[in-house]
Amino acid sequence: VEAYGLTQLRFYSTAFMVWIGFSLVWFATTALWGYAKRFMVGMVVSGMLLVLVFHAVNPTGIIVSWNLDRVDEGKHFDAGYALSLGADAVPELVAGLDRMGKKDAAMVRDALERRWARLRDADWRTWNWSRARAARALEGLFGEGGPATVAQ
């Protein structure tokens, strides 16, 4: 992470290592003391909470923010990887354009402009929350012109 930045694999691997650590502590405090049913319930609940947290925290947004913070430290920003992260990363990319180097910012801006053209032409059947947030961010960057169902 220090050398190359945060990626989805590194993010999810770290999260699962934390969950495994919790699982070991939970095992030691329940199952080893004869409370196997509590262990099972705790593991099911913690697994469900992990999935809910992944949906709530926007991992790709965190990854882009983390990697943009590295730019402030004088480290490289991998614009190509950031653009591959999908619609959830778009608001963070738009917000961080001024923090990138000129070459990376131009590359990201061009790719986001192409994505904006696709989002403007999309109809209601392709709507989802991530694309709607991306459309709002891109509308602020490139101006209005998209259908109301996508941009709202």
Side-chain angles (χ1 to χ4, degrees):
V1 172
E2 278 299 311
Y4 300 106
L6 190 60
T7 63
Q8 283 184 314
L9 180 61
R10 291 180 184 120
F11 180 86
Y12 288 115
S13 296
T14 302
F16 282 115
M17 284 189 280
V18 169
W19 184 65
I20 289 170
F22 166 79
S23 301
L24 292 173
V25 170
W26 187 247
F27 179 77
T29 58
T30 57
L32 292 180
W33 292 94
Y35 300 108
K37 288 183 181 180
R38 286 185 186 172
F39 172 74
M40 180 182 64
V41 170
M43 291 309 302
V44 169
V45 169
S46 68
M48 288 180 179
L49 284 174
L50 184 68
V51 170
L52 288 173
V53 166
F54 279 157
H55 286 296
V57 300
N58 185 12
T60 57
I62 291 171
I63 292 166
V64 170
S65 291
W66 181 286
N67 291 338
L68 282 169
D69 288 342
R70 290 170 34 84
V71 170
D72 296 338
E73 299 169 6
K75 296 183 179 176
H76 175 69
F77 179 73
D78 189 353
Y81 178 73
L83 288 167
S84 74
L85 292 175
D88 281 328
V90 169
E92 297 297 331
L93 286 169
V94 169
L97 274 172
D98 59 338
R99 297 169 61 193
M100 298 175 202
K102 289 184 180 186
K103 182 180 175 185
D104 287 333
M107 178 180 162
V108 169
R109 188 175 176 83
D110 289 344
L112 291 178
E113 195 166 8
R114 287 190 301 273
R115 186 172 287 184
W116 174 234
R118 285 194 311 270
L119 285 173
R120 275 192 326 220
D121 296 336
D123 65 1
W124 65 271
R125 292 172 292 186
T126 61
W127 186 91
N128 68 35
W129 180 256
S130 298
R131 286 191 196 117
R133 286 184 63 234
R136 270 195 303 273
L138 293 174
E139 185 175 49
L141 183 63
F142 297 116
E144 295 185 20
T149 55
V150 173
Q152 290 181 353

